[in-house]
Amino acid sequence: MNNDAQAYWQANVRLVLGCLAVWFFVSYGCGILLAGWLNNIRIFGGYPLGFWFAQQGSIYTFVILIFFYAWRMNKLDHKFGVQED
């Protein structure tokens, strides 16, 4: 594998791992581990924040991460000259 292909692959893996880390923190950390502490904060008419993260927040975060990943991959594709025309 040449250096450009290896650098492209490393950037892609770094991006995927970063997105997975954010999703893990939001879904597991905020939705389970920190839920008791976050439930002291009320949002949207009185819903506990920990409950919101467990029920909705991780899903919203996942959808946002999908768009973020697509946007960053387009930038990486242009940087390494492998974009679709």
Side-chain angles (χ1 to χ4, degrees):
M1 186 181 300
N2 65 23
N3 287 341
D4 281 345
Q6 188 174 6
Y8 177 75
W9 181 246
Q10 286 177 346
N12 184 12
V13 169
R14 195 174 316 116
L15 178 61
V16 168
L17 290 177
C19 289
L20 286 174
V22 169
W23 191 33
F24 177 81
F25 174 74
V26 169
S27 62
Y28 188 74
C30 294
I32 298 172
L33 296 178
L34 301 174
W37 182 77
L38 289 172
N39 281 337
N40 294 323
I41 302 169
R42 303 284 179 178
I43 59 167
F44 304 123
Y47 293 104
L49 185 59
F51 173 78
W52 184 83
F53 269 113
Q55 299 301 315
Q56 300 295 326
S58 60
I59 296 168
Y60 290 152
T61 301
F62 180 66
V63 171
I64 291 167
L65 284 173
I66 290 171
F67 287 105
F68 174 76
Y69 176 79
W71 173 70
R72 287 294 296 147
M73 279 307 297
N74 282 333
K75 291 185 80 131
L76 273 177
D77 289 348
H78 284 287
K79 179 180 178 182
F80 287 97
V82 293
Q83 72 274 8
E84 296 179 10
D85 291 324

